[in-house]
Amino acid sequence: MSAAGRRWRAALALIAAGWGSVAVLVRAVDLPAGAIAFWRVAIAATALGAALAVLGRLALVRPAGQLWPLVRLGVILGVHWLAYFETIKLSSATLAVLLVYTGPLFIAVLAPRLLGTATSRPTMVALAGGAAGIVLVATDGSSDIRVTAAGLAMGLVAGLTFALLIIAGRAVTNDVTAPAFLFWETVVASALLLPVAVAQGPVPGDAADVAGLLALGVGATAVLGIAFATALRHVEAQSAGVLMFLEPVSTVLLAWLFLSEQPSLRTAIGGALVLAAGLFTVALREPAATLTGA
């Protein structure tokens, strides 16, 4: 591997680790999940649009005939982040990110129906291992990680929509620029989440909440989203899929350090099964993830 290739892989690893802070930031912001999800996408869309306007590069957000597929992706993204953030609020950062990374398992189930590709026997073994891991985590009453029925359900919705994002993204990522992809996704998600945010109470309470929302919208979404799309052009998709599994590892460690979410041995084993199943699934078939992370 060339030195440039190693640098791009290292950059992608850092981006994935950086996304691990999202769940911790969501727990730190004293707002309902819908309001946080709205502000994240609204700030990202505004920051990206303003930056491109200043640079005179607004032409980069042209949808290139892919407006309706981008609208569909924006709707899925809005539902995904709402479900993900609700899981964090209802349960824990650790549980939320582990359930989001059931996404590769959902892809294995949905791909035959949506993409016309068969699910292999090894993939079915991975599905069984991932399901066993979820059962272990969901039934663990000894951990500092809170597991609730509502949190578990929302987490599985987050995992399902993550899979749908990857599947739906296959059709458009090669036809539009990275700024266009991110801009239209976040604009549509903002419109979808605005009524939810208004109903829940969308106004940040203090400077700490504003800082957390800016970190989510500008840092974790706009900056890291563009950086991810750029780095992905220089790293083969299969390697990128494996590197993205640094995100849940980062989340678990940060939640342990800053939120006192210390997993029990049973939760650690269950989480390891989920991640191992996902990694095995990624290794079996090339992922098509050119999307923003959790």
Side-chain angles (χ1 to χ4, degrees), residues 5 17 39 42 91 109 138 140 142 148 152 177 197 211 231-232 255:
W39 282 114
S91 186
V109 173
D140 185 6
S142 63
T148 66
L152 184 63
T177 66
L232 203 65

Side-chain angles (χ1 to χ4, degrees), residues 17-33 36-37 40 84-85 88-89 93 208-221 224 250-251 254-255 258-259 261 294:
W19 271 328
S21 66
V22 168
V24 177
L25 287 169
V26 170
R27 283 289 300 274
V29 174
D30 188 20
L31 284 176
I36 298 175
R40 177 179 183 176
Y84 180 41
F85 293 174
I88 295 169
K89 294 292 187 179
D209 288 343
V210 172
L213 292 172
L214 287 173
L216 284 170
V218 177
T221 308
L224 289 185
S250 173
T251 297
L254 291 173
F258 295 105
L259 302 177
E261 292 184 2

Side-chain angles (χ1 to χ4, degrees):
M1 183 192 303
S2 67
R6 286 193 292 269
R7 285 195 296 270
W8 282 115
R9 287 190 180 204
L12 204 56
L14 288 174
I15 291 166
W19 271 328
S21 66
V22 168
V24 177
L25 287 169
V26 170
R27 283 289 300 274
V29 174
D30 188 20
L31 284 176
I36 298 175
F38 165 75
W39 282 114
R40 177 179 183 176
V41 290
I43 291 171
T46 302
L48 179 58
L52 292 174
V54 169
L55 295 172
R57 304 295 300 276
L58 277 176
L60 288 175
V61 301
R62 289 175 181 167
Q66 297 293 324
L67 181 59
W68 287 114
L70 288 170
V71 168
R72 179 178 59 197
L73 281 166
V75 171
I76 299 172
L77 183 71
V79 175
H80 168 69
W81 275 341
L82 177 60
Y84 180 41
F85 293 174
E86 284 285 6
T87 307
I88 295 169
K89 294 292 187 179
L90 290 169
S91 186
S92 67
T94 299
L95 179 67
V97 75
L98 289 177
L99 292 177
V100 163
Y101 274 80
T102 59
L105 308 182
F106 278 114
I107 291 173
V109 173
L110 295 174
R113 295 179 180 274
L114 300 180
L115 301 177
T117 56
T119 299
S120 66
R121 185 172 296 177
T123 299
M124 296 304 295
V125 173
L127 287 171
I134 293 170
V135 171
L136 281 175
V137 174
T139 57
D140 185 6
S142 63
S143 173
D144 290 338
I145 298 171
R146 293 178 294 115
V147 178
T148 66
L152 184 63
M154 294 303 291
L156 291 174
V157 170
L160 172 61
T161 48
F162 182 63
L164 292 175
L165 278 171
I166 294 175
I167 292 172
R170 297 183 79 119
V172 297
T173 50
N174 291 329
D175 297 323
V176 300
T177 66
F181 192 95
L182 183 62
F183 178 78
W184 287 106
E185 265 198 323
T186 51
V187 165
V188 172
S190 298
L192 177 72
L193 291 168
L194 178 58
V196 180
V198 170
Q200 290 187 349
V203 181
D206 54 31
D209 288 343
V210 172
L213 292 172
L214 287 173
L216 284 170
V218 177
T221 308
V223 174
L224 289 185
I226 295 297
F228 176 66
T230 302
L232 203 65
R233 293 191 176 98
H234 303 275
V235 179
E236 64 274 18
Q238 199 165 23
S239 295
V242 174
L243 288 170
M244 290 314 299
F245 276 83
L246 287 172
E247 180 183 347
V249 175
S250 173
T251 297
V252 171
L253 291 176
L254 291 173
W256 191 348
L257 289 174
F258 295 105
L259 302 177
S260 299
E261 292 184 2
Q262 183 173 353
S264 67
L265 179 60
R266 178 170 174 164
T267 293
I269 293 172
L273 279 172
V274 171
L275 296 181
L279 280 168
F280 185 60
T281 304
V282 168
L284 286 173
R285 71 173 71 244
E286 182 177 303
T290 57
L291 311 173
T292 56

